[in-house]
Amino acid sequence: MTEINPAHMKLALRLAAKGAGWVSPNPMVGAVLVQEGRVVGRGFHRRAGAAHAEVAALEQAGAAARGADLYVTLEPCNHQGRTPPCTEAILAAGVARVIIATPDPNPQVAGAGAQLLQSRGVTVEVGLLAEEARSLNQAWFHWLESGRPWVIAKAACSLDGKIATAGGQSQWLTGEPARAWGHRLRHQVDAILVGIETVLHDDPQLTTRLPRQGQDPIRIVLDSTLRIPLASRLLHLKSPAPTWVACTNAAPADKIGALKKLGAEVLIFPGHSRDSGRVPLPGLMKLLGARQVQSLLVEGGAEVLGAFFEQKLVNQFFFFFAPKFLGGRQAPGVLGGEGIVHLKDAPQARDLAIRRVGADLLIKGYL
């Protein structure tokens, strides 16, 4: 057999990334078939319900797949879902060796795909670029292993950390390149969340607006007592993605009925005093996970972002800093809430990266 080449797995990972925003609740997967060092087939999972990456690569390779090496970013499935098992297609094509980046933790697979291939005489290698493969599908892995969505906090602020002027003006702090970057992020997540103050102040649409077609995320509003105006643009969009409004049992029944008539779904939670009568975020995360919301983008405002940070629910963050100084005691900062008393209790960021996006700075990292 030819020597395993990491460059082929890197190609498979680049192919897999093309499915971002389109494949949920499935993971992004890429596959490359190599015959005597030459790529003879490549494929990636394009949409949920469409052919899996392995099948797409096998179809492109045709007869050249026999005796070839298959590089795939995730363990092939061996169960019947919306599509037939990939292991059957691999065996039927006569693939000699399968190189897998990372095992599939899905209980329906969980090593069974690799074991089946090995039992039928296929050589299986696991672990090539495993860290990169897990990073690509970090939201999917997190959701499978925790039952909660991967939470991404995004904010745009001045260099002194203000999200609006003392007079309340916030549009637009950052430039067009940063805003376009944010819309690409919206395309890649399952849902986007804001608080009622953002709705009252900005009347946002929370849709994905890209030059090319993009996917709208589910729109979620935190609104404990349903102050959302019935004329809000969120409630009158022509979008395939739904709008969900999360409230507590203190919300008026007539407003619940009015929102349902407009097509919104109302998620009602008990309002406990320990939550200051607000929607309990851990309960909301549990519900979203059960509904296969694997990734959640939290865009604000300051009180909502502060609550997610204080309750240690944020996994990843993207903060844009505009080259401006706003100042002002009354100008709101990025994070509201109660804040911390002792520095030792401050959430610690890791794996920081900084890049220019137009005139703005983007700082991203994990918690």
Side-chain angles (χ1 to χ4, degrees), residues 1-4 9 32-34 65 67-72 75-76 87 90-91 94-101 113-127:
M1 288 187 176
T2 58
E3 187 176 347
I4 292 175
M9 188 63 81
V32 173
L33 275 160
V34 179
D69 288 340
L70 172 64
Y71 290 77
V72 61
E75 179 183 1
T87 49
I90 293 168
L91 292 169
V95 171
R97 181 170 59 176
V98 177
I99 298 103
I100 299 168
Q115 290 172 10
L116 175 63
L117 292 172
Q118 286 179 316
S119 72
R120 300 286 290 275
V122 178
T123 301
V124 177
E125 306 282 352
V126 182

Side-chain angles (χ1 to χ4, degrees), residues 28 42 77 82 132 142 166-167 207 212 230 247 251 261 279 287 322 344 351 357:
M28 293 173 277
R42 60 184 74 191
C77 64
R82 294 194 198 180
E132 291 87 337
H142 175 80
T207 53
R212 297 181 181 179
L230 296 181
C247 68
K261 285 183 180 179
V279 173
L287 174 64
K344 65 180 178 62
D351 300 335
V357 180

Side-chain angles (χ1 to χ4, degrees), residues 67-307:
D69 288 340
L70 172 64
Y71 290 77
V72 61
T73 59
L74 187 69
E75 179 183 1
C77 64
N78 67 324
H79 64 282
Q80 178 71 46
R82 294 194 198 180
T83 59
C86 290
T87 49
E88 288 185 6
I90 293 168
L91 292 169
V95 171
R97 181 170 59 176
V98 177
I99 298 103
I100 299 168
T102 181
D104 187 339
N106 186 334
Q108 293 181 298
V109 185
Q115 290 172 10
L116 175 63
L117 292 172
Q118 286 179 316
S119 72
R120 300 286 290 275
V122 178
T123 301
V124 177
E125 306 282 352
V126 182
L128 180 64
L129 302 186
E131 185 176 343
E132 291 87 337
R134 280 191 66 92
S135 178
L136 177 69
N137 282 304
Q138 57 191 3
W140 181 76
F141 278 102
H142 175 80
W143 171 74
L144 267 181
E145 294 164 359
S146 71
R148 302 187 309 275
W150 177 265
V151 175
I152 303 167
K154 175 185 167 289
C157 60
S158 62
L159 283 178
D160 55 337
K162 305 294 187 179
I163 61 173
T165 67
Q169 186 178 357
S170 60
Q171 295 180 336
W172 297 99
L173 259 177
T174 53
E176 180 57 36
R179 296 198 296 275
W181 196 98
H183 281 283
R184 289 193 293 273
L185 183 58
R186 287 182 180 184
H187 162 73
Q188 295 173 9
V189 299
D190 292 330
I192 181 172
L193 180 147
V194 297
I196 183 58
E197 294 299 335
T198 295
V199 175
L200 294 174
H201 188 270
D202 298 334
D203 193 18
Q205 297 182 74
L206 304 182
T207 53
T208 299
R209 298 183 290 281
L210 296 171
R212 297 181 181 179
Q213 183 184 14
Q215 192 105 305
D216 285 344
I218 299 166
R219 297 168 292 275
I220 303 173
V221 180
L222 291 180
D223 185 7
S224 300
T225 56
L226 293 185
R227 291 185 290 148
I228 184 170
L230 296 181
S232 297
R233 292 194 292 177
L234 282 172
L235 303 175
H236 299 275
L237 294 170
K238 293 181 179 179
S239 168
T243 296
W244 298 348
V245 183
C247 68
T248 69
N249 47 18
D254 59 340
K255 191 66 171 286
I256 293 173
L259 288 172
K260 289 180 178 179
K261 285 183 180 179
L262 290 174
E265 183 172 357
V266 181
L267 311 176
I268 306 173
F269 293 85
H272 297 298
S273 57
R274 65 174 179 271
D275 300 311
S276 302
R278 296 176 177 175
V279 173
L281 295 183
L284 177 60
M285 295 304 100
K286 183 177 180 180
L287 174 64
L288 295 182
R291 291 189 170 201
Q292 294 192 318
V293 173
Q294 299 174 7
S295 52
L296 175 68
L297 177 61
V298 180
E299 286 203 357
E303 292 301 314
V304 170
L305 281 168

Side-chain angles (χ1 to χ4, degrees), residues 17-66:
K18 292 184 176 183
W22 300 111
V23 301
S24 185
N26 294 342
M28 293 173 277
V29 183
V32 173
L33 275 160
V34 179
Q35 183 68 265
E36 297 180 355
R38 184 173 64 90
V39 174
V40 295
R42 60 184 74 191
F44 67 96
H45 188 38
R46 294 178 179 271
R47 286 181 181 270
H52 286 190
E54 302 94 317
V55 173
L58 289 167
E59 289 178 349
Q60 187 180 96
R66 186 160 297 277

